[in-house]
Amino acid sequence: MLTLYSFRAMTHQGLGEFEQLVLLAIVHLGREAYGIPIVDEIERRTGRAVVRAAVYVTLRRLEEKGYVSSWIGDPTPERGGKGRRYVKIEAAGRRALRESRQLVDRMWGELDPASLRSR
Amino acid sequence: MGPPLIARALLRLLLPADVRDSVDGDLVELHAARTHSRGRMPAALWYWRQTLSFISRFALDRIRRSARAVASIGAVGSPDARRERAIGWLESVRADIHFGRRAFARRPLSSTTIVLVLAIGIAGCATVYGLLQSAIMRPPQGVPSDASLVLVRRMARANDQPVWSRARFSYSTLREMSTQRGIFTAVAGWTDSRVTIGVAGLLDGGTARAQFVTDGYFSVVGVRPVHGSSLPALSPNAPMEPQLVAVISESMWEDVFARQDPTQRRLMVNGVAVRIVGVAPPAFGGVTPDPDDGRLMLWLPLSTRATILAARPGANASGGAALSSVDSMLFHVVGRIAPGVSTERATAAVRVISANAARQMAPPRAIGSSAMKPPAVVYDADVVSLQGSSDALQMALGIPPGPGLTWLLTLFGSLATLLLLVVCTNVGALAVSASVERRAEIAVRLSLGASRARVVRQLLTENVILGACGGVLGLATLWGVTIALRRVPTVAFFRPDIGTVAFTMILAVGTGILCGLAPALNATRNGVAAALKDTSSGVSRRSRLHHTFVIGQVAFTQPLLMVVGMFIGAAMLETKQPLLDAVSERVLRLRVDMASIRGSSMDKARAADRLDLRISQTPGVMAVLAEPEPIGVVPLGVRPEDRGATPDAGDPVTAQMRATMPGYFELIGVPLLRGTDIASSSDTSAGVIIGSDLARRLWGATDPIGRRFEELSQAVSSSRGGRRDLIVTGVYDSRYFDRGRPVLVFRPVAKLQSGAYLIRTTAPASSLVDSARDIVREELPSASITSLVTMKQFESEASQNMRALNAGLTACAALVLLLSSIGLYGSVALGVRQRRREIGVRMALGARTEQVVALFFGNGLRLGVTGLILGLPVSVGASNLLEHGVATDHAIVGGVIALVVLVVAAVATFIPAIRAARVNPVISLRSE
């Protein structure tokens, strides 16, 4: 059921939670962002295990939406002769991230996160 | 050290092109790091896991994309709403599947059982139906299916006997048929012979089945050679110059030529060099394939027959006399009927031709003493579609033409249907019992707000998954069975039919799905509260359902087992005691195809006499006798004044009469127990030798010699112009003979010509095989030897066939029993589980374990007995149907089967009852 709702949310104009995580990781990494460090970055910051394939599927979707762009780096022998696919965030991606943040902030309003602690 | 090759290839194969390289590169990089830190094996495992994860994620992504694409075409509403709907649906199906997988994991045993029962059931039913259908509806192997292709059959019987046997047509009759342009567009014939073959450097002396075919045989049958060409048409300019060419069978091409081009090889047929022009298509073994006849086969133009048969060592050269005589019936006929002509009309036309031909034939002449004057022969002919002639089955089972086949087909058809019913009841019971357990869960989901449709769809998805697994496994089993059956020559024609398989699958899987839905519908109808509380109203309805399952199961199983049991019983009864080794090794059995001997019946008789004499003069031969020959099945009754004191004394006896020559019993080393086998017959009486079984049944311990039978059949007595008494002159030892029904009764005659000889030798008979063959070739050059083995080999072959048959039947019975006990157990366990609360109450109120067990046990047995009684009419019907061919006492088999079914029912009841009684009442009542 959970996947059902999260996925529905993603099909709207706004970003899904996982898409936000991936985009933010790309921003954090700057020019060194490609598959492997993105996964590491998300895992390091959230402390959660990430399904690697899900990250790649999301990256592909983000690129299709125009939120990120990618280019292929030089091939290296330790990668079996394949180059890295670096990604960088585009203007649309930045805007979407900002909007998502604002949406959440508006909902929080003046609420204090501490007030949500269970009694 | 790189990542696992296969995984990497899979990954590259299945990922979308735009991400392929980058994913591959990243995984290679990570794999290298992992190999360094964790070791090779863990890294490889990790790589495999990643591969599967990537493949499945991207595949799912692709499905989502196409669903979105579909949703955006032609749907109503805003694009967003449409997309929403499509994706929502897809997501929920995925959730259903995921949920179902968890449900199966929780109940692995019952899920596996349902899948297995489905698989076994589908494979079993499809095999039986497929066998029937392949046998009835299909043309012989290798022959293209065509409704106009017909087989013209001829049957013959002596006019005082009821049994028809196959006969053939003469060449002139065949020619006459081909002139009937209004009936047949084309007619072809063939005649069989065994020939010796050899190929320089490849095959040194083998034998093959040769068919000499008339012009246009291959085009009439519709068979086109896969290699080379067909037989050339006879050139009208040089009809006297036979073209020595042949088409060989595909298996011969494989066995002898290893699929090399054979068209330039010279094949020696009976020592005559023949040029191979073509190879028949795979599996084509003639229009009436004979699977027992080996794989090597060839077809030659009819014009070569005289040359090739005359070339056999010792044959006296003779021309095509066999073709011109109306008496030499050699030809099987196949034809194509003209458009718009029915097989009935063609049959009528062929009957007339056949009758005319029979009138022109020389009248039968007496052979030897007047006692053996051959009766007049009656001929009949018919035309049957090769697609529906069931000839293959008939030949496979060795049944003479006639109504025998109809009952066998009916029988097997009903067997398959019963099996299907058992499977359906089974699957139904299992599916219901599996999903009844989840009533509480369903109720919880409903009360949390799930719609009825949503819950029903959830169960539907689960049952469809189970059904699909069962179906796939069933198909795999069927595939295995098909491959296995191909190796059994008798049923090599078996090919599963897609339509039948689909029908069986839909029925079985459909039952499972419907029954699996029952609890969902039930729970949603009765309301959540009732389902949650598990009130009694629902229970009574479902226990009726479960009663129906148990009763149906037993009722359907019983007739199935009955039929299989009767066959097993018959097979066991028919296992006769083998002859003493010392004798059977010293008896040679020689059978010659008398029909292939040229000339009139007088010529044949003379030739047979010469053969007889030559063999008896051969050194090492003690005695030669014609093998006893069947002369018909007659009903006999003991004369009232000669009846004994046993209870069966007045019963009519159906006897299979065999003519035998004096000395037969001594020759096979089983001397008569009483009396003699000297031929004694007069105008009013004839001597017979009966078996010790029959003697005991009719007269008990008293002496049967001199007692008289009378023939009960009106037809038989009138044709002879008066009744003849049959006086018992001897008693043979039944243990050494077939104990089937009808019983064997021998009639000693002074002179017998049966085409089969038993040769008793002083040394082991195998040493005489060659000289016997030479003698036949010298004396009867045109006759083919159909069998030449020692009695020991003959008996061991027969008993091997019997053993194979027995094994097959026992396997069938075991399968039926297994299926029905699974079903029984499932339905009984369901009943017990439903009454768990009641058991709890009873136990809490002080009922003892034994009382609870007794309650359920008694209940189960009562249901079993009800099922037995309901199934009884079908069982009785089936066993009556079988009475023609199977000599088993129904009462005994029926009793044994009833007992077996009851024991299975009892065990299936007992285990759940014990388990229920062991439940702690506190636990079973906790749901209150």
Side-chain angles (χ1 to χ4, degrees), chain B residues 439-450 522-535:
Chain B
R439 267 164 31 96
E441 177 204 320
I442 292 167
V444 169
R445 294 188 66 191
L446 285 174
S447 57
L448 285 177
N522 199 356
T524 49
R525 194 175 46 233
N526 285 356
V528 178
L532 270 179
K533 269 164 64 186
D534 206 18
T535 58

Side-chain angles (χ1 to χ4, degrees), chain B residues 194-200 202-203 205-211 226 245-262 265-270 274-285 293-300:
Chain B
R194 276 211 84 81
V195 292
T196 59
I197 53 168
V199 181
L202 290 176
L203 178 74
T207 65
R209 182 181 174 203
Q211 294 194 330
V226 285
V245 289
V247 168
I248 59 172
S249 66
E250 202 244 4
S251 30
M252 180 156 158
W253 183 34
E254 189 176 326
D255 291 359
V256 179
F257 297 99
R259 299 193 164 265
Q260 303 291 311
D261 181 12
R265 307 297 298 235
R266 277 190 345 158
L267 179 68
M268 304 303 285
V269 181
N270 280 355
V274 166
R275 188 163 56 87
I276 296 170
V277 290
V279 178
F284 180 68
D293 215 19
R295 291 159 54 83
L296 303 186
M297 231 187 128
L298 64 157
W299 292 267
L300 302 125

Side-chain angles (χ1 to χ4, degrees), chain B residues 761-781:
Chain B
T761 56
T762 47
S766 45
S767 60
L768 249 89
V769 168
D770 287 337
S771 41
R773 186 178 288 127
D774 290 343
I775 292 172
V776 174
R777 279 185 187 155
E778 281 166 32
E779 294 299 330
L780 304 173

Side-chain angles (χ1 to χ4, degrees), chain B residues 171 174 187-190 212-218 231 300-302 331:
Chain B
Y171 188 63
L174 168 66
V187 172
W190 77 91
F212 296 97
V213 301
T214 60
D215 259 9
Y217 168 83
F218 282 102
L231 293 176
L300 302 125
L302 186 60
F331 289 90

Side-chain angles (χ1 to χ4, degrees), chain A:
Chain A
M1 285 316 233
L2 194 77
T3 45
L4 194 154
Y5 289 112
S6 65
F7 190 56
R8 275 194 183 163
M10 285 192 294
T11 61
H12 285 283
Q13 304 305 315
L15 287 172
E17 187 200 23
F18 198 65
E19 285 176 316
Q20 288 184 40
L21 295 184
V22 174
L23 272 180
L24 286 169
I26 294 170
V27 178
H28 278 297
L29 288 166
R31 293 194 60 81
E32 279 305 306
Y34 69 97
I36 298 173
I38 293 174
V39 173
D40 291 345
E41 186 72 16
I42 299 175
E43 289 190 335
R44 193 173 63 80
R45 286 184 180 268
T46 61
R48 282 196 251 158
V50 175
V51 179
R52 187 170 295 274
V55 173
Y56 287 75
V57 171
T58 308
L59 275 175
R60 187 165 174 240
R61 188 162 54 232
L62 289 174
E63 189 168 3
E64 278 169 2
K65 287 183 182 174
Y67 293 166
V68 299
S69 59
S70 68
W71 70 96
I72 308 288
D74 295 330
T76 53
E78 65 266 26
R79 291 176 51 85
K82 308 284 185 295
R84 293 171 175 164
R85 188 190 196 109
Y86 290 102
V87 284
K88 107 173 181 283
I89 190 157
E90 291 296 322
R94 287 180 210 283
R95 196 165 51 242
L97 263 184
R98 258 200 319 275
E99 280 168 5
S100 299
R101 178 63 193 256
Q102 281 162 6
L103 198 73
V104 174
D105 282 350
R106 276 204 296 278
M107 282 309 291
W108 275 101
E110 295 78 40
L111 279 178
D112 179 8
S115 69
L116 291 179
R117 270 195 204 125
S118 59
R119 276 156 287 176

Side-chain angles (χ1 to χ4, degrees), chain B residues 869-892:
Chain B
I869 293 169
L870 283 181
L872 205 60
V874 187
S875 298
V876 170
S879 59
N880 280 344
L881 209 62
L882 274 178
E883 212 184 359
H884 304 269
V886 181
T888 322
D889 198 328
H890 329 182
I892 297 176

